[in-house]
Amino acid sequence: MEGKIGMIFEDPEKKRRFILRLGLIILFSALLTALFNYIVTDHFGQVFVFAIDMFFAGAILTAFFPAIDEELERRPRAGVFTAILFILLILMDVMFWSSNSLGKIDAVNLFMFIFAVGPLLVFAYLLLSYSGDKSKLYGLKDLANKFPIIKKPEGHVHFKTKMFWTIFTLILYFAMTNVIIFGLDPAKTIDLFAEYRAILAGAQGSLMHLGIGPIVTGSIIMQLFTGAKIIKLDLTKSDDKAVYQNVQKLIVVVMIVVEAIPQVYGFLTPSTGFVVSLDAMTGGYGSLTAQFLIVFQLCVGSYLVFFMDELVSKWGIGSGISLFIAAGVSQAIFTGTLNWETSPAVDRFGVPGTGGAPTGTIPKTIYLFQYSTTSQLANSGGMEAIVISPPNSLIALAGTVVVFLIVAYAESTRIELPLAHGKVRGARGRYPIRLIYASNIPVILMAALMANINMFSLLLWQHPAASNIPGLGHNWLIGAYPTESYAMELGISQTTPISGLAYYLSAPNGLSEWLLPLMNPQRYGGFLRGHEYWQVVVHVAIYFSVMVIGSIFFAKFWIDTTGMGPESVARQIRSSGMQIPGFRRDPRVLKHVLERYIPVVTVISGAFVGALAAGAQMMGTVGDTSGTGVLLTVGILIRLYEEIGKEQLMEMHPVLRGFFGSGG
């Protein structure tokens, strides 16, 4: 035995491996100890738990990581980062120890902090310890490959099969929106994403509470890093593109956890009975257990959304994300137009005659015309209640129809570049450059970005721990939110910002929030919510400008990262054997010609969809779907119709599969 130990320390390489293995065991032990510190409160007990954890850590590492030595050889700097992570975890333990006597940190907060930050530390370790000659993201390749995925079909998938999986996924989506989170108190539920619910899909308090938010946020992060050249990947290479997609999946998983944990701090509150029953089972840790179970359900639901998106993309028609947005918005428009259920008195701010009226546009209009006198319609605001006052006014219905018609027309507007085959005489074609060249993706990304700004500003204002962060916590410049009583007085939600950056970036919800108070302050002054006229005007101007500029920004990133830029399109045209008549068959020449059109159309496309979404939001839409939601839904349905037509065409004419890029 002594001889073997001596051999380890005589051989420098074996000594290095031994130290790194021991370091990993201690690191894992520290993590386990930090996770279970909330059970053992005395210092001696914590040291004892740490000692026991070392045996567990060694057994786990030996059982699940038999090739750890080879892995360490691939990562020469692993020891440095192991030491850094070990120090961080020790600091966490020290913070907890001090909290026992000083009361600075709650055990629940520490547990949730480690639960959220742990994966980020692992990713940082894998990234920074990678020493290959490629991008640092290759350090995450092995981890990403271990995640379950939807298998890609081999060969052509028949149209009926694609329709089956698309309809099945849609039915599953609606079913999940009606599955309420177990143990939740619906009466105390606050929707952090209320203003963006139509765009982010899902339903409040259900397994789909987070909707597509984590998926879209992961896409935003990857696009920003790629566009800023922080991530050095050539997306034209298959290996780099595979790494890009795998890393994006990991970021989605991280964002699921990051967006799920804040929900249990005052927004998704467990029911009292549920906590009491868990207290009896866990020895007084019912609140922590209930919060953990809610977060776990949110994570499971969001991960299922991720799988459903992959299922539609690989086995169905179109995109799962687009399908969920269109489904949610279509449902809201249908109910907002035809809902005959009566609403509570909505005649606050002095608009008479609407209390008890149906909430749907058509039933409400019929009801008010039928039960209001001529005097009420003409002099007491009855016509205003029908035409422009919320909820679901006639002008909101008209705005929804106008957006539908504008997007339908814009989708058919395009520039067509003539093409001719370089070798086959008479073979001609056209390359279409749509007016909405970047599709509706920039608006989706902008909506997700604003939703995250709203969420984190709300946490910094209301969360007990986050509100105490120096300079950021409870700072009205970032965003201020009303108390429960003040929100009821104003007739708004507690998640609606009333000042600061979050207020100026929030979307005005229809004419009632900005135009009506300016036109008739005596009757609609309450909609100003304590703001001056100039503040309302600045709010509208900033929101509109940010939507337009942000959409242009994301449109350019989207074109660059998806192979739709001039250089990529030039290569595609050349590889197909086509060329522009009158120009040499040279990628540089093709690129030069395409640069006259694609960059300009990209900017126009981003500005157009951003302005249209902002304008529709300011006008108001049926069902509170938001202008962005209507814009996205119309574009999605048009693209889905085109996809279905293309699939049917390939089914009838198999030769066209190669032309459309379909296998088999």
Side-chain angles (χ1 to χ4, degrees):
M1 183 69 179
E2 294 179 0
K4 290 183 178 180
I5 295 176
M7 289 177 61
I8 290 175
F9 287 99
E10 286 178 3
D11 188 338
E13 185 60 27
K14 288 184 178 181
K15 178 181 178 182
R16 173 180 165 274
R17 291 185 183 182
F18 174 80
I19 294 174
L20 286 177
R21 185 184 287 271
L22 180 62
L24 287 175
I25 291 175
I26 296 174
L27 171 66
F28 197 50
S29 305
L31 177 60
L32 289 176
T33 305
L35 288 175
F36 290 105
N37 263 346
Y38 70 91
I39 296 177
V40 182
T41 56
D42 61 288
H43 293 180
F44 176 78
Q46 289 172 346
V47 173
F48 178 75
V49 168
F50 180 78
I52 297 297
D53 284 343
M54 289 189 65
F55 291 98
F56 283 108
I60 291 172
L61 288 172
T62 303
F64 292 98
F65 301 99
I68 190 171
D69 289 339
E70 290 76 5
E71 179 66 20
L72 292 175
E73 285 182 358
R74 295 169 52 195
R75 302 177 183 275
R77 294 189 294 274
V80 177
F81 298 105
T82 301
I84 293 174
L85 294 180
F86 173 67
I87 293 171
L88 287 175
L89 286 170
I90 291 298
L91 288 176
M92 290 181 192
D93 275 354
V94 171
M95 289 168 64
F96 179 78
W97 283 2
S98 63
S99 72
N100 285 339
S101 56
L102 301 178
K104 293 181 179 179
I105 299 176
D106 193 308
V108 175
N109 291 334
L110 179 70
F111 178 84
M112 291 297 184
F113 175 76
I114 295 175
F115 186 70
V117 175
L120 298 178
L121 295 177
V122 173
F123 292 161
Y125 168 77
L126 293 175
L127 282 171
L128 298 175
S129 63
Y130 177 75
S131 58
D133 56 352
K134 297 182 178 180
S135 171
K136 288 286 186 182
L137 293 181
Y138 274 83
L140 299 174
K141 184 178 179 180
D142 293 338
L143 177 63
N145 289 336
K146 290 180 173 60
F147 276 76
I149 60 172
I150 301 294
K151 186 179 179 181
K152 200 171 184 179
E154 297 178 1
H156 175 67
V157 181
H158 291 287
F159 176 72
K160 290 184 179 179
T161 304
K162 289 191 173 186
M163 284 299 295
F164 168 78
W165 285 115
T166 303
I167 296 173
F168 170 80
T169 305
L170 188 59
I171 294 173
L172 182 60
Y173 163 79
F174 279 118
M176 289 178 62
T177 58
N178 287 280
V179 177
I180 303 301
I181 295 174
F182 181 73
L184 189 66
D185 187 351
K188 298 180 180 179
T189 298
I190 299 175
D191 192 357
L192 270 172
F193 305 116
E195 294 185 22
Y196 304 94
R197 177 55 65 193
I199 307 161
L200 298 181
Q204 175 183 339
S206 71
L207 289 178
M208 291 284 292
H209 185 83
L210 297 182
I212 62 172
I215 301 175
V216 179
T217 306
S219 177
I220 291 175
I221 293 172
M222 289 300 292
Q223 284 201 48
L224 290 176
F225 282 5
T226 304
K229 307 301 180 184
I230 298 174
I231 296 175
K232 297 179 181 179
L233 291 174
D234 185 357
L235 298 182
T236 60
K237 297 179 180 178
S238 58
D239 289 346
D240 283 8
K241 189 172 184 179
V243 169
Y244 178 91
Q245 293 172 343
N246 286 335
V247 172
Q248 185 168 325
K249 292 177 183 178
L250 291 178
I251 293 179
V252 168
V253 173
V254 173
M255 291 311 304
I256 288 174
V257 177
V258 169
E259 292 189 11
I261 289 178
Q263 305 291 330
V264 298
Y265 289 101
F267 306 106
L268 295 181
T269 306
S271 64
T272 304
F274 186 54
V275 173
V276 170
S277 62
L278 289 176
D279 270 334
M281 297 170 59
T282 60
Y285 291 95
S287 178
L288 170 64
T289 308
Q291 289 178 321
F292 177 79
L293 289 175
I294 290 176
V295 170
F296 179 75
Q297 291 175 77
L298 288 173
C299 292
V300 170
S302 296
Y303 203 56
L304 285 176
V305 174
F306 179 66
F307 277 128
M308 290 158 63
D309 176 50
E310 274 202 332
L311 180 63
V312 174
S313 300
K314 294 178 179 179
W315 290 88
I317 299 175
S319 161
I321 291 177
S322 299
L323 186 68
F324 303 148
I325 293 174
V329 173
S330 299
Q331 182 187 31
I333 290 176
F334 182 83
T335 55
T337 305
L338 301 175
N339 188 8
W340 59 82
E341 290 187 357
T342 58
S343 65
V346 290
D347 55 352
R348 61 183 190 276
F349 307 124
V351 180
T354 58
T359 55
T361 304
I362 296 176
K364 183 180 81 169
T365 303
I366 296 173
Y367 175 89
L368 291 178
F369 270 119
Q370 185 175 0
Y371 293 102
S372 300
T373 64
T374 304
S375 176
Q376 286 178 321
L377 290 175
N379 303 318
S380 300
M383 288 301 297
E384 291 180 8
I386 294 172
V387 177
I388 57 180
S389 297
N392 302 319
S393 62
L394 281 179
I395 198 169
L397 179 60
T400 304
V401 174
V402 168
V403 172
F404 185 94
L405 296 175
I406 291 176
V407 176
Y409 176 77
E411 286 283 353
S412 63
T413 305
R414 65 190 69 188
I415 300 171
E416 294 185 335
L417 297 181
L419 298 176
H421 203 282
K423 296 181 180 179
V424 181
R425 182 174 297 179
R428 296 183 176 274
R430 295 179 182 276
Y431 183 80
I433 302 177
R434 295 172 181 262
L435 174 61
I436 308 182
Y437 187 65
S439 184
N440 46 34
I441 297 298
V443 174
I444 296 178
L445 299 178
M446 275 301 299
L449 179 62
M450 288 187 170
N452 279 283
I453 291 174
N454 186 75
M455 181 184 74
F456 286 109
S457 63
L458 180 60
L459 289 173
L460 289 171
W461 182 262
Q462 292 186 353
H463 185 265
S467 61
N468 292 321
I469 298 175
L472 297 177
H474 214 70
N475 188 339
W476 69 269
L477 291 174
I478 297 175
Y481 293 82
T483 60
E484 184 177 357
S485 58
Y486 192 44
M488 291 180 64
E489 179 185 339
L490 296 177
I492 59 176
S493 168
Q494 284 183 263
T495 61
T496 303
I498 55 176
S499 68
L501 178 64
Y503 166 72
Y504 288 104
L505 291 180
S506 64
N509 190 19
L511 299 176
S512 63
E513 291 199 1
W514 63 282
L515 186 59
L516 293 186
L518 298 180
M519 293 176 59
N520 193 341
Q522 288 76 25
R523 176 171 293 173
Y524 302 107
F527 282 107
L528 290 174
R529 294 165 186 160
H531 297 108
E532 300 292 336
Y533 294 117
W534 67 267
Q535 290 178 304
V536 175
V537 174
V538 171
H539 174 202
V540 172
I542 290 178
Y543 170 74
F544 189 87
S545 302
V546 169
M547 280 295 294
V548 172
I549 296 172
S551 296
I552 294 173
F553 180 76
F554 280 119
K556 292 174 69 67
F557 272 161
W558 182 255
I559 296 304
D560 291 339
T561 57
T562 55
M564 296 172 65
E567 187 174 355
S568 300
V569 173
R571 284 198 299 265
Q572 294 170 19
I573 293 175
R574 185 177 182 278
S575 63
S576 66
M578 306 295 282
Q579 66 183 62
I580 300 177
F583 294 90
R584 288 186 295 113
R585 191 166 175 261
D586 187 329
R588 292 171 298 180
V589 176
L590 287 173
K591 177 186 173 184
H592 180 70
V593 174
L594 291 169
E595 282 176 343
R596 301 178 188 173
Y597 302 98
I598 290 180
V600 177
V601 173
T602 299
V603 173
I604 294 174
S605 170
F608 177 77
V609 295
L612 187 59
Q617 180 69 41
M618 292 160 58
M619 183 181 293
T621 52
V622 174
D624 287 333
T625 53
S626 80
T628 305
V630 176
L631 169 67
L632 295 177
T633 300
V634 177
I636 289 166
L637 293 178
I638 291 174
R639 297 295 172 93
L640 184 62
Y641 174 79
E642 292 175 349
E643 285 283 331
I644 292 174
K646 187 178 76 173
E647 292 292 336
Q648 289 180 318
L649 191 63
M650 287 192 293
E651 202 75 14
M652 292 186 292
H653 305 283
V655 177
L656 294 175
R657 292 174 191 166
F659 178 77
F660 285 117
S662 178

